[in-house]
Coordinates of all heavy atoms in Angstrom, one line a residue:
M1 N 0.9 -1.2 0.0 CA 0.0 0.0 0.0 C 0.8 1.3 0.0 O 1.9 1.2 0.6 CB -0.9 0.0 1.2 CG -2.0 -1.0 1.1 SD -3.2 -0.5 2.5 CE -3.9 -2.2 2.6
A2 N 0.3 2.2 -0.6 CA 1.1 3.5 -0.7 C 0.0 4.6 -0.7 O -1.0 4.6 -1.2 CB 1.9 3.6 -1.9
W3 N 0.4 5.7 0.0 CA -0.4 7.0 0.0 C 0.0 7.8 -1.2 O 1.1 8.1 -1.3 CB -0.2 7.7 1.3 CG -1.0 7.0 2.5 CD1 -0.4 6.3 3.4 CD2 -2.3 7.1 2.8 NE1 -1.3 5.8 4.3 CE2 -2.6 6.3 3.9 CE3 -3.4 7.7 2.2 CZ2 -3.7 6.1 4.5 CZ3 -4.7 7.6 2.8 CH2 -4.8 6.7 3.9
Y4 N -1.0 8.1 -2.0 CA -0.8 9.1 -3.1 C -1.4 10.4 -2.8 O -2.6 10.5 -2.4 CB -1.4 8.5 -4.4 CG -0.8 7.3 -4.9 CD1 -1.0 6.0 -4.4 CD2 0.2 7.4 -6.0 CE1 -0.4 4.9 -4.9 CE2 0.8 6.3 -6.5 CZ 0.5 5.0 -5.9 OH 1.1 3.9 -6.4
K5 N -0.6 11.5 -3.0 CA -1.1 12.8 -2.9 C -2.0 13.0 -4.2 O -1.4 12.9 -5.3 CB 0.0 13.9 -2.8 CG -0.5 15.2 -2.7 CD 0.6 16.2 -2.3 CE 1.8 16.2 -3.2 NZ 2.8 17.2 -2.8
I6 N -3.2 13.4 -4.1 CA -4.2 13.6 -5.2 C -4.3 15.0 -5.7 O -4.1 15.4 -6.8 CB -5.5 12.9 -4.9 CG1 -5.4 11.4 -4.5 CG2 -6.5 13.0 -6.1 CD1 -4.5 10.6 -5.6
T7 N -4.8 15.8 -4.7 CA -5.3 17.2 -5.1 C -5.6 18.0 -3.8 O -5.6 17.4 -2.7 CB -6.5 17.2 -6.0 OG1 -6.6 18.5 -6.5 CG2 -7.8 16.7 -5.3
E8 N -5.8 19.3 -4.0 CA -6.2 20.1 -2.9 C -7.7 19.9 -2.6 O -8.5 19.8 -3.5 CB -5.9 21.6 -3.2 CG -4.4 21.8 -3.3 CD -4.3 23.4 -3.7 OE1 -5.2 24.1 -4.1 OE2 -3.1 23.7 -3.7
V9 N -8.0 19.9 -1.3 CA -9.5 19.7 -1.0 C -10.3 20.7 -1.7 O -11.5 20.4 -2.2 CB -9.7 19.7 0.5 CG1 -11.2 19.7 0.9 CG2 -9.0 18.6 1.2
E10 N -9.8 21.9 -1.8 CA -10.7 23.0 -2.3 C -10.9 22.9 -3.8 O -11.8 23.6 -4.4 CB -9.9 24.3 -2.1 CG -9.8 24.7 -0.6 CD -11.2 24.8 0.2 OE1 -12.1 25.3 -0.4 OE2 -11.2 24.3 1.2
S11 N -10.1 22.1 -4.5 CA -10.3 21.8 -5.9 C -11.4 20.9 -6.3 O -11.8 20.7 -7.4 CB -9.0 21.4 -6.6 OG -8.7 20.1 -6.2
I12 N -11.9 20.2 -5.3 CA -13.1 19.3 -5.4 C -14.3 20.1 -5.1 O -14.5 20.6 -3.9 CB -13.0 18.1 -4.5 CG1 -11.6 17.4 -4.8 CG2 -14.2 17.1 -4.8 CD1 -11.4 16.2 -3.8
P13 N -15.3 20.2 -6.0 CA -16.5 21.0 -5.7 C -17.4 20.3 -4.6 O -17.5 19.1 -4.6 CB -17.2 21.1 -7.1 CG -16.7 20.0 -7.9 CD -15.3 19.7 -7.4
S14 N -18.0 21.1 -3.8 CA -18.9 20.5 -2.9 C -20.1 19.8 -3.6 O -20.6 20.3 -4.6 CB -19.6 21.6 -2.0 OG -20.5 21.1 -1.0
M15 N -20.5 18.6 -3.2 CA -21.5 17.8 -3.9 C -21.1 17.4 -5.3 O -21.9 17.2 -6.2 CB -22.8 18.5 -3.9 CG -23.3 19.1 -2.6 SD -24.0 18.0 -1.6 CE -25.6 17.6 -2.3
G16 N -19.8 17.4 -5.5 CA -19.3 17.0 -6.9 C -18.1 16.1 -6.7 O -17.8 15.5 -5.7
S17 N -17.3 16.0 -7.8 CA -16.2 15.0 -7.8 C -15.1 15.5 -8.8 O -15.2 16.4 -9.6 CB -16.7 13.6 -8.3 OG -17.1 13.7 -9.7
R18 N -13.9 14.8 -8.6 CA -12.8 14.9 -9.5 C -12.4 13.5 -9.8 O -12.6 12.6 -9.0 CB -11.6 15.7 -8.9 CG -11.8 17.1 -8.7 CD -11.7 17.8 -10.1 NE -11.8 19.2 -10.0 CZ -13.0 19.9 -10.3 NH1 -14.0 19.3 -10.7 NH2 -12.9 21.2 -10.2
I19 N -11.7 13.3 -10.9 CA -11.3 11.9 -11.3 C -9.8 11.8 -11.3 O -9.1 12.9 -11.7 CB -11.8 11.6 -12.7 CG1 -13.4 11.6 -12.8 CG2 -11.3 10.3 -13.2 CD1 -13.8 11.6 -14.2
V20 N -9.3 10.8 -10.9 CA -7.8 10.5 -10.9 C -7.6 9.1 -11.5 O -8.5 8.2 -11.2 CB -7.2 10.7 -9.5 CG1 -7.8 9.6 -8.5 CG2 -5.7 10.5 -9.5
K21 N -6.6 9.0 -12.3 CA -6.2 7.6 -12.8 C -4.9 7.2 -12.2 O -4.0 7.9 -12.1 CB -6.1 7.6 -14.3 CG -7.4 7.8 -15.1 CD -7.3 7.6 -16.5 CE -7.4 6.1 -16.9 NZ -7.3 5.9 -18.3
I22 N -4.9 5.9 -11.6 CA -3.7 5.3 -11.1 C -3.6 4.0 -11.8 O -4.4 3.1 -11.7 CB -3.9 5.1 -9.6 CG1 -4.1 6.5 -8.8 CG2 -2.7 4.5 -9.0 CD1 -4.3 6.4 -7.3
G23 N -2.7 3.9 -12.8 CA -2.5 2.8 -13.6 C -3.7 2.7 -14.5 O -4.1 3.7 -15.2
E24 N -4.4 1.6 -14.5 CA -5.6 1.4 -15.3 C -6.9 1.7 -14.6 O -7.9 1.7 -15.3 CB -5.6 -0.1 -15.8 CG -4.4 -0.6 -16.5 CD -4.4 0.0 -18.0 OE1 -5.5 0.1 -18.5 OE2 -3.3 0.4 -18.3
I25 N -6.7 2.1 -13.3 CA -8.0 2.3 -12.5 C -8.3 3.8 -12.5 O -7.5 4.7 -12.3 CB -7.7 1.9 -11.1 CG1 -7.2 0.5 -11.0 CG2 -9.0 2.1 -10.2 CD1 -8.2 -0.6 -11.4
E26 N -9.6 4.0 -12.8 CA -10.1 5.4 -12.8 C -10.9 5.5 -11.4 O -11.9 4.8 -11.2 CB -11.0 5.7 -13.9 CG -11.4 7.2 -14.1 CD -12.1 7.4 -15.4 OE1 -11.4 7.6 -16.4 OE2 -13.4 7.4 -15.4
I27 N -10.5 6.5 -10.6 CA -11.1 6.6 -9.2 C -11.8 8.0 -9.3 O -11.3 9.0 -9.6 CB -10.1 6.6 -8.2 CG1 -9.4 5.2 -8.2 CG2 -10.7 6.8 -6.7 CD1 -8.2 5.0 -7.3
A28 N -13.0 8.0 -8.7 CA -13.8 9.3 -8.5 C -13.6 9.7 -7.1 O -13.9 8.9 -6.2 CB -15.3 9.1 -8.9
I29 N -13.2 11.0 -6.8 CA -13.0 11.5 -5.5 C -14.2 12.4 -5.3 O -14.4 13.4 -6.0 CB -11.7 12.3 -5.4 CG1 -10.5 11.5 -5.9 CG2 -11.5 12.7 -3.9 CD1 -10.2 10.3 -5.1
F30 N -15.1 12.1 -4.4 CA -16.3 12.9 -4.1 C -16.1 13.8 -2.8 O -15.5 13.3 -1.9 CB -17.5 12.0 -3.8 CG -18.0 11.4 -5.1 CD1 -17.5 10.1 -5.5 CD2 -18.9 12.0 -5.9 CE1 -18.0 9.4 -6.7 CE2 -19.3 11.4 -7.1 CZ -18.8 10.1 -7.5
K31 N -16.7 14.9 -2.8 CA -16.8 15.7 -1.7 C -18.3 15.9 -1.4 O -19.1 16.5 -2.3 CB -16.2 17.1 -1.7 CG -16.1 17.8 -0.4 CD -15.1 19.0 -0.3 CE -15.2 20.0 -1.4 NZ -14.3 21.1 -1.1
T32 N -18.8 15.5 -0.2 CA -20.2 15.7 0.1 C -20.4 17.1 0.7 O -19.5 17.9 0.9 CB -20.6 14.6 1.2 OG1 -19.8 14.8 2.3 CG2 -20.4 13.2 0.6
K33 N -21.7 17.4 1.0 CA -22.1 18.7 1.5 C -21.4 19.1 2.8 O -21.1 20.2 3.0 CB -23.6 18.8 1.7 CG -24.2 20.1 2.0 CD -25.8 20.1 2.0 CE -26.2 21.4 2.3 NZ -27.7 21.4 2.2
D34 N -21.2 18.0 3.7 CA -20.6 18.4 4.9 C -19.0 18.4 4.8 O -18.4 18.5 5.8 CB -21.0 17.3 6.1 CG -20.5 15.9 5.8 OD1 -19.8 15.6 4.7 OD2 -20.8 15.0 6.6
G35 N -18.5 18.3 3.6 CA -17.1 18.3 3.4 C -16.3 17.0 3.5 O -15.0 16.9 3.4
S36 N -17.0 15.9 3.7 CA -16.4 14.6 3.8 C -15.9 14.2 2.4 O -16.6 14.5 1.4 CB -17.4 13.5 4.2 OG -17.9 13.8 5.6
I37 N -14.8 13.5 2.3 CA -14.2 13.0 1.1 C -14.3 11.5 1.0 O -14.1 10.8 1.9 CB -12.7 13.4 1.1 CG1 -12.5 14.8 1.2 CG2 -12.0 12.8 -0.2 CD1 -13.0 15.6 -0.1
F38 N -14.8 10.9 -0.2 CA -14.9 9.6 -0.5 C -14.1 9.3 -1.8 O -14.3 10.0 -2.7 CB -16.3 9.1 -0.5 CG -17.1 9.3 0.7 CD1 -17.8 10.5 1.0 CD2 -17.0 8.3 1.7 CE1 -18.5 10.6 2.2 CE2 -17.8 8.5 2.9 CZ -18.5 9.6 3.1
A39 N -13.5 8.1 -1.9 CA -12.9 7.6 -3.1 C -13.5 6.3 -3.4 O -13.5 5.4 -2.7 CB -11.5 7.6 -2.9
I40 N -14.0 6.2 -4.7 CA -14.7 5.0 -5.2 C -14.3 4.8 -6.7 O -14.0 5.8 -7.4 CB -16.1 5.2 -5.0 CG1 -17.0 4.0 -5.2 CG2 -16.7 6.5 -5.7 CD1 -18.4 4.1 -4.7
N41 N -14.3 3.5 -7.1 CA -14.1 3.3 -8.5 C -15.2 4.1 -9.3 O -16.4 4.1 -8.9 CB -14.3 1.8 -8.8 CG -13.0 1.1 -8.7 OD1 -12.0 1.6 -8.4 ND2 -13.0 -0.2 -9.0
N42 N -14.8 4.6 -10.5 CA -15.7 5.4 -11.2 C -16.6 4.5 -12.1 O -16.8 4.9 -13.3 CB -14.9 6.4 -12.0 CG -15.7 7.5 -12.6 OD1 -16.8 7.9 -12.1 ND2 -15.3 8.2 -13.7
I43 N -17.0 3.4 -11.5 CA -17.8 2.6 -12.4 C -19.0 2.0 -11.5 O -18.8 1.5 -10.5 CB -16.9 1.3 -12.9 CG1 -15.8 1.8 -13.7 CG2 -17.9 0.3 -13.6 CD1 -14.9 0.6 -14.1
C44 N -20.2 2.3 -12.0 CA -21.5 1.7 -11.4 C -21.4 0.2 -11.4 O -21.0 -0.3 -12.5 CB -22.7 2.3 -12.0 SG -24.2 1.7 -11.2
P45 N -21.8 -0.5 -10.4 CA -21.8 -1.9 -10.4 C -22.9 -2.5 -11.4 O -22.9 -3.7 -11.6 CB -22.0 -2.4 -9.0 CG -22.6 -1.2 -8.3 CD -22.0 0.0 -9.0
H46 N -23.8 -1.7 -11.8 CA -24.9 -2.2 -12.6 C -24.5 -2.2 -14.1 O -24.3 -3.3 -14.6 CB -26.1 -1.2 -12.4 CG -27.3 -1.5 -13.3 ND1 -28.0 -0.5 -14.0 CD2 -27.9 -2.6 -13.5 CE1 -29.0 -1.0 -14.7 NE2 -29.0 -2.3 -14.3
K47 N -24.3 -1.1 -14.8 CA -24.0 -1.1 -16.2 C -22.8 -0.2 -16.5 O -22.6 0.4 -17.6 CB -25.3 -0.5 -17.0 CG -26.4 -1.3 -17.0 CD -26.3 -2.5 -17.9 CE -27.6 -3.3 -17.9 NZ -27.6 -4.4 -18.8
Q48 N -21.9 0.0 -15.5 CA -20.7 0.6 -15.7 C -20.7 2.1 -16.0 O -19.9 2.6 -16.7 CB -19.8 -0.2 -16.6 CG -19.1 -1.4 -16.2 CD -20.2 -2.5 -16.1 OE1 -21.0 -2.8 -17.1 NE2 -20.4 -3.1 -15.0
G49 N -21.8 2.8 -15.5 CA -22.0 4.2 -15.7 C -20.8 4.9 -15.0 O -20.3 4.4 -14.0
K50 N -20.5 6.1 -15.4 CA -19.5 6.9 -14.8 C -20.1 7.6 -13.6 O -20.9 8.6 -13.7 CB -19.0 8.0 -15.7 CG -18.3 7.5 -16.9 CD -16.9 7.0 -16.6 CE -16.1 6.7 -17.9 NZ -14.8 6.1 -17.6
L51 N -19.8 7.1 -12.4 CA -20.3 7.6 -11.1 C -20.0 9.1 -10.9 O -20.8 9.8 -10.3 CB -20.0 6.8 -9.9 CG -20.5 5.4 -9.9 CD1 -19.9 4.5 -8.8 CD2 -22.1 5.3 -9.8
S52 N -18.9 9.5 -11.5 CA -18.4 10.9 -11.2 C -19.3 11.9 -11.9 O -19.4 13.0 -11.7 CB -16.9 11.1 -11.8 OG -17.0 10.8 -13.2
E53 N -20.2 11.3 -12.8 CA -21.3 12.2 -13.5 C -22.6 12.2 -12.8 O -23.5 12.7 -13.3 CB -21.3 11.8 -15.0 CG -20.0 11.9 -15.7 CD -20.1 11.3 -17.1 OE1 -21.2 10.9 -17.6 OE2 -19.0 11.2 -17.8
G54 N -22.6 11.4 -11.7 CA -23.9 11.3 -11.0 C -24.1 12.4 -10.0 O -23.3 13.3 -9.8
L55 N -25.3 12.3 -9.5 CA -25.7 13.3 -8.5 C -25.4 12.9 -7.0 O -25.7 11.7 -6.6 CB -27.3 13.5 -8.5 CG -27.8 14.1 -9.8 CD1 -29.3 14.1 -9.9 CD2 -27.2 15.6 -10.1
V56 N -24.8 13.8 -6.3 CA -24.4 13.4 -4.9 C -25.4 14.0 -3.9 O -25.9 15.1 -4.0 CB -23.0 14.0 -4.6 CG1 -22.6 13.8 -3.2 CG2 -21.9 13.6 -5.5
H57 N -25.9 13.1 -3.1 CA -26.9 13.5 -1.9 C -26.5 12.8 -0.7 O -26.3 11.6 -0.9 CB -28.3 13.4 -2.4 CG -28.6 12.1 -3.0 ND1 -29.1 11.1 -2.5 CD2 -28.3 11.6 -4.4 CE1 -29.3 10.0 -3.2 NE2 -28.8 10.3 -4.5
E58 N -26.4 13.5 0.4 CA -25.8 12.8 1.6 C -24.5 12.1 1.3 O -23.6 12.7 0.7 CB -26.9 11.9 2.2 CG -28.3 12.5 2.5 CD -28.1 13.6 3.6 OE1 -27.4 13.6 4.4 OE2 -29.0 14.6 3.5
N59 N -24.5 10.9 1.6 CA -23.2 10.0 1.4 C -23.5 9.1 0.2 O -23.0 7.9 0.3 CB -22.7 9.4 2.6 CG -22.1 10.3 3.6 OD1 -22.0 11.5 3.3 ND2 -21.9 9.8 4.8
V60 N -24.3 9.5 -0.7 CA -24.8 8.5 -1.8 C -24.5 9.3 -3.1 O -24.7 10.5 -3.2 CB -26.2 8.2 -1.6 CG1 -26.8 7.5 -2.8 CG2 -26.5 7.5 -0.3
V61 N -24.1 8.5 -4.2 CA -24.2 9.0 -5.5 C -25.2 8.2 -6.3 O -25.3 7.0 -6.2 CB -22.8 9.0 -6.2 CG1 -22.3 7.6 -6.2 CG2 -22.7 9.7 -7.5
T62 N -25.9 9.0 -7.2 CA -26.9 8.3 -8.0 C -26.3 8.2 -9.5 O -26.0 9.3 -10.1 CB -28.2 9.1 -8.1 OG1 -28.7 9.2 -6.8 CG2 -29.2 8.5 -9.0
C63 N -26.2 7.0 -9.9 CA -25.6 6.8 -11.2 C -26.5 7.5 -12.3 O -27.7 7.4 -12.4 CB -25.6 5.3 -11.6 SG -24.9 4.9 -13.2
P64 N -25.7 8.1 -13.3 CA -26.4 8.9 -14.4 C -27.2 8.0 -15.3 O -28.1 8.5 -16.1 CB -25.4 9.7 -15.0 CG -24.2 9.0 -14.8 CD -24.3 8.3 -13.4
L65 N -26.8 6.8 -15.4 CA -27.4 5.9 -16.5 C -28.7 5.4 -16.1 O -29.7 5.5 -16.8 CB -26.5 4.7 -16.8 CG -25.2 5.0 -17.6 CD1 -24.5 3.8 -17.9 CD2 -25.5 5.9 -18.8
H66 N -28.9 4.8 -14.9 CA -30.1 4.1 -14.6 C -30.6 4.3 -13.1 O -31.4 3.6 -12.5 CB -30.0 2.6 -14.7 CG -29.7 2.2 -16.1 ND1 -28.4 1.8 -16.5 CD2 -30.5 2.1 -17.1 CE1 -28.4 1.5 -17.8 NE2 -29.7 1.7 -18.3
N67 N -30.0 5.5 -12.5 CA -30.5 6.0 -11.2 C -30.2 5.0 -10.1 O -30.9 5.1 -9.1 CB -32.0 6.5 -11.2 CG -32.1 7.6 -12.2 OD1 -31.3 8.5 -12.3 ND2 -33.3 7.6 -12.9
W68 N -29.2 4.2 -10.2 CA -28.9 3.3 -9.1 C -28.2 4.2 -8.0 O -27.4 5.0 -8.4 CB -28.0 2.2 -9.5 CG -28.6 1.0 -10.0 CD1 -29.7 0.8 -10.8 CD2 -28.1 -0.4 -9.8 NE1 -29.9 -0.5 -11.0 CE2 -29.0 -1.2 -10.4 CE3 -27.0 -0.9 -9.1 CZ2 -28.8 -2.5 -10.5 CZ3 -26.8 -2.3 -9.1 CH2 -27.7 -3.1 -9.7
D69 N -28.6 4.1 -6.8 CA -27.8 4.7 -5.7 C -26.8 3.9 -5.2 O -27.0 2.7 -4.8 CB -28.8 5.1 -4.5 CG -29.9 6.2 -5.0 OD1 -29.5 7.0 -5.8 OD2 -30.9 6.2 -4.3
V70 N -25.5 4.5 -5.0 CA -24.4 3.8 -4.4 C -23.9 4.5 -3.3 O -23.7 5.7 -3.3 CB -23.3 3.7 -5.6 CG1 -22.1 3.0 -5.1 CG2 -23.8 2.9 -6.8
D71 N -23.7 3.7 -2.2 CA -23.1 4.3 -0.9 C -21.7 4.6 -1.1 O -20.9 3.8 -1.5 CB -23.3 3.3 0.3 CG -22.9 3.8 1.5 OD1 -21.7 4.0 1.8 OD2 -23.9 4.1 2.3
L72 N -21.3 5.9 -0.9 CA -20.0 6.3 -1.1 C -18.9 5.7 -0.1 O -17.8 5.5 -0.5 CB -19.8 7.8 -1.1 CG -20.5 8.6 -2.2 CD1 -20.6 10.1 -2.0 CD2 -19.8 8.3 -3.5
A73 N -19.5 5.3 1.1 CA -18.6 4.7 2.1 C -18.3 3.3 1.9 O -17.1 2.8 2.1 CB -19.1 4.9 3.4
S74 N -19.3 2.5 1.4 CA -19.1 1.1 1.2 C -18.9 0.6 -0.3 O -18.5 -0.5 -0.5 CB -20.2 0.4 1.9 OG -21.4 0.6 1.2
G75 N -19.4 1.4 -1.2 CA -19.5 1.1 -2.6 C -20.7 0.1 -2.9 O -20.9 -0.3 -4.1
E76 N -21.5 0.0 -1.9 CA -22.7 -1.0 -2.1 C -23.9 -0.3 -2.8 O -24.2 0.9 -2.4 CB -23.2 -1.5 -0.8 CG -22.2 -2.4 -0.1 CD -22.2 -3.8 -0.5 OE1 -23.1 -4.2 -1.1 OE2 -21.2 -4.5 -0.1
A77 N -24.5 -0.9 -3.7 CA -25.7 -0.5 -4.2 C -26.8 -0.5 -3.1 O -26.8 -1.4 -2.3 CB -26.2 -1.3 -5.4
L78 N -27.7 0.5 -3.1 CA -28.7 0.6 -2.1 C -30.0 0.2 -2.6 O -30.3 0.1 -3.8 CB -28.7 2.1 -1.5 CG -27.4 2.5 -1.0 CD1 -27.5 4.0 -0.6 CD2 -27.0 1.7 0.2
G79 N -31.0 0.1 -1.7 CA -32.4 -0.2 -2.0 C -32.6 -1.7 -2.5 O -31.9 -2.6 -1.9
N80 N -33.3 -1.9 -3.5 CA -33.5 -3.2 -4.0 C -32.4 -3.7 -4.9 O -32.4 -4.9 -5.4 CB -34.9 -3.4 -4.7 CG -36.1 -3.2 -3.7 OD1 -36.0 -3.5 -2.6 ND2 -37.1 -2.5 -4.3
D81 N -31.5 -2.8 -5.2 CA -30.4 -3.2 -6.1 C -29.2 -3.9 -5.4 O -29.1 -3.7 -4.2 CB -29.9 -1.9 -6.8 CG -30.9 -1.2 -7.6 OD1 -31.7 -1.8 -8.2 OD2 -31.0 0.1 -7.5
S82 N -28.5 -4.6 -6.1 CA -27.3 -5.4 -5.4 C -26.2 -5.2 -6.3 O -26.2 -5.1 -7.6 CB -27.7 -6.7 -5.2 OG -27.8 -7.5 -6.4
G83 N -24.9 -5.1 -5.7 CA -23.6 -5.0 -6.4 C -22.8 -4.1 -5.6 O -23.3 -3.4 -4.7
C84 N -21.5 -4.1 -6.0 CA -20.6 -3.3 -5.2 C -19.4 -2.9 -6.2 O -19.0 -3.6 -7.0 CB -20.1 -4.1 -4.0 SG -19.0 -3.3 -2.9
T85 N -18.9 -1.6 -5.9 CA -17.8 -1.2 -6.5 C -16.7 -0.9 -5.5 O -17.0 -0.6 -4.3 CB -18.1 0.0 -7.5 OG1 -17.0 0.2 -8.3 CG2 -18.4 1.2 -6.7
N86 N -15.4 -0.9 -5.8 CA -14.3 -0.7 -4.8 C -14.3 0.7 -4.3 O -14.7 1.7 -5.0 CB -13.0 -1.0 -5.4 CG -12.8 -2.5 -5.7 OD1 -13.4 -3.3 -5.1 ND2 -11.8 -2.7 -6.5
V87 N -13.9 0.8 -3.1 CA -13.8 2.0 -2.3 C -12.3 2.1 -2.0 O -11.7 1.0 -1.7 CB -14.7 2.3 -1.2 CG1 -16.1 2.4 -1.7 CG2 -14.6 1.2 -0.1
Y88 N -11.8 3.3 -1.7 CA -10.5 3.5 -1.3 C -10.3 4.3 -0.1 O -11.1 5.2 0.0 CB -9.5 4.0 -2.4 CG -9.7 3.2 -3.7 CD1 -10.6 3.5 -4.7 CD2 -8.8 2.2 -3.9 CE1 -10.7 2.7 -5.7 CE2 -8.9 1.3 -5.0 CZ -9.9 1.6 -5.9 OH -10.0 0.8 -7.0
E89 N -9.4 4.0 0.8 CA -9.2 4.8 2.0 C -8.6 6.2 1.6 O -7.7 6.2 0.8 CB -8.2 4.0 3.0 CG -8.0 4.7 4.3 CD -7.0 3.9 5.2 OE1 -6.4 3.0 4.6 OE2 -6.9 4.3 6.3
S90 N -9.1 7.2 2.2 CA -8.6 8.5 1.9 C -8.3 9.3 3.2 O -8.9 8.9 4.2 CB -9.6 9.3 1.1 OG -10.7 9.5 1.8
K91 N -7.5 10.3 3.1 CA -7.2 11.2 4.3 C -7.0 12.6 3.8 O -6.6 12.7 2.6 CB -6.1 10.6 5.2 CG -4.7 10.7 4.4 CD -3.6 10.2 5.4 CE -2.2 10.2 4.7 NZ -1.1 9.8 5.6
I92 N -7.1 13.6 4.7 CA -6.8 14.9 4.4 C -5.7 15.4 5.3 O -5.8 15.2 6.6 CB -8.1 15.8 4.5 CG1 -9.1 15.3 3.5 CG2 -7.7 17.2 4.3 CD1 -10.5 16.0 3.8
E93 N -4.7 15.9 4.8 CA -3.5 16.5 5.5 C -3.1 17.8 4.9 O -2.8 17.8 3.7 CB -2.3 15.5 5.7 CG -2.5 14.2 6.5 CD -1.3 13.4 6.7 OE1 -0.2 13.9 6.0 OE2 -1.4 12.4 7.2
D94 N -3.1 18.8 5.7 CA -2.7 20.2 5.2 C -3.4 20.6 4.0 O -2.8 21.2 3.1 CB -1.1 20.2 5.0 CG -0.3 19.9 6.3 OD1 -0.8 20.3 7.3 OD2 0.8 19.2 6.2
G95 N -4.7 20.3 4.0 CA -5.6 20.8 2.9 C -5.4 19.9 1.6 O -6.0 20.2 0.6
L96 N -4.6 18.8 1.7 CA -4.5 17.9 0.5 C -5.1 16.6 0.8 O -5.2 16.0 1.9 CB -2.9 17.7 0.3 CG -2.1 18.9 -0.1 CD1 -0.6 18.6 -0.1 CD2 -2.6 19.5 -1.4
V97 N -5.7 16.0 -0.4 CA -6.3 14.7 -0.3 C -5.3 13.6 -0.7 O -4.7 13.8 -1.7 CB -7.5 14.7 -1.2 CG1 -8.1 13.2 -1.2 CG2 -8.5 15.7 -0.8
Y98 N -5.3 12.6 0.2 CA -4.4 11.4 -0.1 C -5.3 10.1 -0.3 O -6.2 10.0 0.5 CB -3.3 11.3 1.0 CG -2.3 12.3 1.1 CD1 -2.7 13.5 1.8 CD2 -1.1 12.1 0.5 CE1 -1.7 14.4 1.9 CE2 -0.1 13.1 0.7 CZ -0.4 14.3 1.4 OH 0.5 15.2 1.5
L99 N -4.8 9.2 -1.2 CA -5.5 8.0 -1.3 C -4.5 6.9 -0.9 O -3.3 6.9 -1.3 CB -5.9 7.7 -2.8 CG -7.1 8.5 -3.3 CD1 -7.5 8.0 -4.6 CD2 -8.3 8.4 -2.3
N100 N -5.0 5.9 -0.2 CA -4.2 4.7 0.1 C -4.6 3.6 -1.0 O -5.8 3.2 -1.1 CB -4.6 4.2 1.6 CG -3.6 3.1 2.1 OD1 -2.7 2.8 1.3 ND2 -3.8 2.7 3.2
F101 N -3.6 3.3 -1.8 CA -3.9 2.5 -2.9 C -2.8 1.4 -3.0 O -1.6 1.6 -2.9 CB -3.8 3.4 -4.2 CG -4.4 2.8 -5.4 CD1 -5.7 2.8 -5.6 CD2 -3.5 2.1 -6.4 CE1 -6.3 2.2 -6.8 CE2 -4.0 1.6 -7.5 CZ -5.4 1.5 -7.7
I102 N -3.4 0.2 -3.3 CA -2.4 -0.9 -3.5 C -1.9 -1.0 -5.0 O -2.8 -1.0 -5.8 CB -3.1 -2.3 -3.1 CG1 -3.5 -2.3 -1.7 CG2 -2.2 -3.5 -3.5 CD1 -4.4 -3.5 -1.3
T103 N -0.6 -1.0 -5.2 CA -0.1 -1.1 -6.5 C 0.4 -2.5 -6.7 O 0.9 -3.2 -5.8 CB 1.0 -0.1 -6.8 OG1 2.0 -0.3 -5.8 CG2 0.4 1.3 -6.6
K104 N 0.3 -2.9 -7.9 CA 0.9 -4.3 -8.3 C 2.1 -4.2 -9.1 O 2.4 -3.3 -9.8 CB -0.2 -5.1 -9.1 CG -1.4 -5.4 -8.2 CD -2.4 -6.2 -8.9 CE -3.6 -6.5 -8.1 NZ -4.6 -7.2 -8.8

């Protein structure tokens, strides 16, 4: 595991996201209304929609393709839907967002 410096917290819009690529993996970094940061694969577990283009509400993002709700903390689909996408540990230090990511 390694911590990667990603971006300044202020560069992520509230209720929005930024995308980062690490190797072949595209990760969406979300900032919720309360300022919490979540990192999740940028792929919906349903039809691989780009979660970074979805709507953020509370700690949930709604996929823009078929309105599946995905929990940003666990990556689990909510409601009657099932499926999961990877989440990544993140931290904020000195106004910068870091991701803990396993490299191969």
Side-chain angles (χ1 to χ4, degrees):
M1 287 190 199
W3 286 99
Y4 288 84
K5 182 169 53 176
I6 302 301
T7 188
E8 297 176 348
V9 173
E10 297 302 319
S11 71
I12 305 171
S14 180
M15 311 278 289
S17 67
R18 287 287 184 255
I19 298 169
V20 62
K21 286 188 87 172
I22 299 177
E24 300 288 320
I25 306 295
E26 190 171 276
I27 300 170
I29 313 294
F30 288 93
K31 183 162 63 176
T32 59
K33 188 175 183 177
D34 69 359
S36 297
I37 298 293
F38 296 93
I40 186 168
N41 270 359
N42 194 23
I43 298 173
C44 178
H46 178 226
K47 296 282 187 181
Q48 288 72 51
K50 298 281 188 182
L51 292 175
S52 60
E53 298 171 8
L55 296 174
V56 177
H57 45 101
E58 304 296 330
N59 290 347
V60 174
V61 61
T62 300
C63 180
L65 289 185
H66 298 99
N67 296 323
W68 274 38
D69 286 334
V70 176
D71 185 290
L72 292 171
S74 69
E76 296 275 344
L78 301 173
N80 293 328
D81 302 319
S82 64
C84 188
T85 192
N86 285 346
V87 296
Y88 302 93
E89 184 181 9
S90 63
K91 67 179 180 180
I92 299 170
E93 287 184 2
D94 299 325
L96 296 171
V97 176
Y98 292 82
L99 290 186
N100 194 359
F101 193 82
I102 299 171
T103 58
K104 294 181 181 179

